[in-house]
């Protein structure tokens, strides 16, 4: 059976990356659209065969409660709006997929978890790398002991941000700079590669505040994480440098992905007791986007919890808040 998704927020990621991927889904279909722009509702409604009865504005969105075709609302708006739309979707009796970062504060994440719990609906965060073949292979190799216990992770995520007027550079809508948007991939990877939660954080920020892009949010913020096992992570996050990689090292070897968390083109190298060599992971049946969409549908159909539930989103936001505090106060913050 295929569950019905409503996509809320018809921006770049929704329309260019996610919506075309329903074609490869087994358990998910696109059945409704929610947007503040009537022209987008018309264009994408016609393109995807969504009838007018299944097209909503942000004002009429709450009427989705009366639409039995919609099982899940996928929130793909600027970060600062994730909480309110998640709460409204849950109140309308719908399950929720919400993009990363889950919200702009840990308190908002907690409110979103509470809203979905109260409604008896599932909440999943769009951590697509957990469904990507190379990342799945890296986690499996580590859990199988291929490099021994993880001792050190080095990871960097960044890109050059352009248009100074975009929402990513407005604190009220983004919650912060590169860390909220792209550095979160370094943090999330360090957590899923170790399978542990950090207990202490250091951080250092570098932002040219005279640059019109960085009036409200940070550019570079590098941070270190200490895990309970003694594993450590050096993590980079930037809006003026391009990278997307991680290397995980232990006493028996290392695994490297570069790029690591991109939309496509992941490349893996590993030294597992021998010389470094390229490695091709076991193929996955579906691309990361379709697999992510189907995961929530399957969890709903079978009564399981998503592997990246709201709790996962909350854990990242708690560490993000500690990273900002560590940078601001120039000290190690314990978690
Ligand atoms: P975008 O700017 O392309 O799209 C945002 C959409 O939200 C637009 O359609 C815009 O009209 C709408 N919107 C509604 N209210 C708005 C408001 N008050 N101000 C501005 N826009 C408003 O952004 P995007 O790149 O599609 O990002 C959307 C979300 O998806 C963000 O949370 C982002 O972090 C996430 N994202 C995730 C990935 C991923 O790989 N998982 C990739 C890109 C973006």
């Amino acid at each position: 059976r295929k569950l019905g998704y409503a996509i809320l927020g018809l921006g770049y990621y929704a329309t260019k990356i996610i919506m075309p991927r329903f074609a490869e889904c087994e358990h998910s279909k696109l059945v409704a659209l929610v947007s503040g722009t009537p022209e987008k509702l018309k264009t994408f409604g016609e393109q995807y065969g969504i009838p007018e009865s299944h097209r909503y504005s942000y004002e009429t969105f709450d009427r989705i409660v009366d639409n039995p075709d919609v099982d899940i609302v996928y929130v793909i708006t600027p970060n600062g709006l994730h909480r309110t739309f998640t709460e409204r979707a849950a109140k309308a009796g719908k399950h929720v997929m919400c993009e990363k970062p889950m919200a702009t504060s840990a308190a908002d994440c907690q409110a979103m978890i509470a809203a979905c719990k109260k409604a008896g609906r599932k909440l999943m965060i769009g951590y697509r790398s957990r469904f990507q073949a190379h990342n799945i292979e890296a986690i499996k190799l580590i859990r199988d002991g291929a490099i021994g216990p993880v001792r050190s992770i080095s990871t960097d995520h960044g890109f050059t941000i352009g248009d100074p007027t975009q929402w990513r550079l407005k604190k009220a809508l983004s919650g912060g700079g590169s860390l909220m948007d792209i550095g979160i991939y370094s943090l999330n990877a360090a957590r899923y590669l170790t399978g542990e939660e950090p207990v202490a954080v250091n951080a250092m920020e570098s932002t040219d505040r005279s640059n019109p892009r960085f009036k409200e949010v940070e550019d570079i913020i590098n941070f270190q994480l200490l895990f309970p096992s003694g594993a450590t992570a050096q993590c980079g996050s930037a809006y003026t440098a391009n990278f997307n990689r991680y290397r995980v090292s232990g006493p028996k070897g290392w695994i490297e992905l570069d790029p690591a968390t991109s939309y496509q083109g992941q490349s893996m190298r590993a030294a597992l007791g021998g010389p470094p060599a390229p490695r091709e992971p076991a193929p996955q049946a579906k691309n990361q986007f379709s697999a992510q969409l189907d995961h929530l549908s399957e969890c709903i159909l079978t009564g399981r919890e998503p592997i990246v539930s709201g709790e996962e989103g909350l854990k990242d936001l708690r560490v993000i808040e500690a990273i900002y505090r560590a940078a601001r106060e120039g000290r190690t913050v314990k978690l």
Side-chain angles (χ1 to χ4, degrees):
R1 181 156 101 82
K2 287 192 177 188
L3 296 193
Y5 269 85
I7 297 288
L8 187 154
L10 300 178
Y12 180 83
Y13 190 61
T15 62
K16 300 280 186 217
I17 307 295
I18 290 296
M19 281 157 55
R21 289 275 118 78
F22 281 100
E24 291 131 275
C25 286
E26 278 176 279
H27 302 293
S28 315
K29 58 184 175 182
L30 177 59
V31 298
L33 300 173
V34 189
S35 170
T37 315
E39 302 80 59
K40 285 190 200 168
L41 285 173
K42 184 172 189 300
T43 306
F44 293 109
E46 285 170 3
Q47 184 180 337
Y48 285 93
I50 311 290
E52 279 185 42
S53 58
H54 289 49
R55 301 177 197 167
Y56 300 87
S57 69
Y58 296 132
E59 287 72 36
T60 64
F61 168 56
D62 305 281
R63 287 188 211 149
I64 209 161
V65 66
D66 298 320
N67 190 336
D69 295 339
V70 177
D71 300 287
I72 302 164
V73 173
Y74 191 167
V75 179
I76 322 187
T77 59
N79 312 335
L81 304 171
H82 290 178
R83 173 180 170 174
T84 174
F85 284 122
T86 294
E87 288 176 337
R88 286 170 67 180
K91 209 166 169 196
K94 306 304 178 186
H95 302 278
V96 181
M97 177 84 80
C98 178
E99 259 316 314
K100 47 53 65 179
M102 179 173 171
T104 55
S105 71
D108 281 359
C109 295
Q110 281 168 317
M112 293 159 75
I113 291 169
C116 291
K117 197 169 175 190
K118 187 172 167 207
R121 293 296 177 264
K122 295 199 187 294
L123 172 57
M124 173 168 156
I125 310 305
Y127 288 124
R128 56 181 168 71
S129 295
R130 295 292 296 276
F131 305 94
Q132 196 281 325
H134 297 71
N135 283 273
I136 291 171
E137 174 87 345
I139 295 170
K140 184 175 186 307
L141 284 168
I142 292 165
R143 298 292 179 272
D144 289 348
I147 61 169
V150 173
R151 295 301 296 155
S152 179
I153 295 172
S154 168
T155 174
D156 296 290
H157 285 84
F159 65 93
T160 310
I161 197 143
D163 176 10
T165 66
Q166 66 185 288
W167 67 262
R168 280 183 170 77
L169 299 169
K170 305 255 177 282
K171 189 150 189 206
L173 285 171
S174 60
S178 70
L179 177 58
M180 281 284 180
D181 192 64
I182 186 80
I184 191 172
Y185 286 91
S186 293
L187 166 60
N188 197 250
R191 290 182 50 250
Y192 62 70
L193 293 169
T194 55
E196 298 179 55
E197 298 306 322
V199 291
V201 175
N202 284 326
M204 189 180 275
E205 185 194 323
S206 171
T207 305
D208 174 2
R209 295 287 172 182
S210 71
N211 186 315
R213 292 174 296 172
F214 303 122
K215 292 275 182 242
E216 297 187 26
V217 302
E218 84 280 359
D219 171 10
I220 293 173
I221 186 159
N222 293 334
F223 53 99
Q224 298 176 310
L225 306 172
L226 175 66
F227 292 94
S229 66
T232 57
Q234 316 278 344
C235 307
S237 171
Y239 268 161
T240 51
N242 286 279
F243 33 38
N244 183 312
R245 66 187 176 212
Y246 60 68
R247 186 191 275 222
V248 199
S249 304
K252 288 163 62 180
W254 53 260
I255 299 162
E256 182 180 88
L257 263 65
D258 187 351
T261 64
S262 43
Y263 294 154
Q264 58 193 17
Q266 271 80 351
S267 171
M268 184 179 226
R269 280 193 339 137
L272 305 174
R279 192 179 169 96
E280 261 310 301
Q284 296 294 311
K286 284 172 227 167
N287 67 77
Q288 59 183 327
F289 311 99
S290 306
Q292 177 201 313
L293 292 164
D294 270 350
H295 180 71
L296 180 54
S297 299
E298 287 183 86
C299 285
I300 293 164
L301 290 167
T302 60
R304 281 179 295 141
E305 264 312 287
I307 60 168
V308 279
S309 64
E311 301 292 338
E312 274 292 304
L314 169 62
K315 283 175 184 170
D316 272 351
L317 257 295
R318 282 201 175 119
V319 183
I320 284 174
E321 288 182 348
I323 292 167
Y324 283 133
R325 192 172 318 130
R328 208 168 48 236
E329 298 177 7
R331 65 178 179 93
T332 300
V333 172
K334 297 227 159 47
L335 285 151

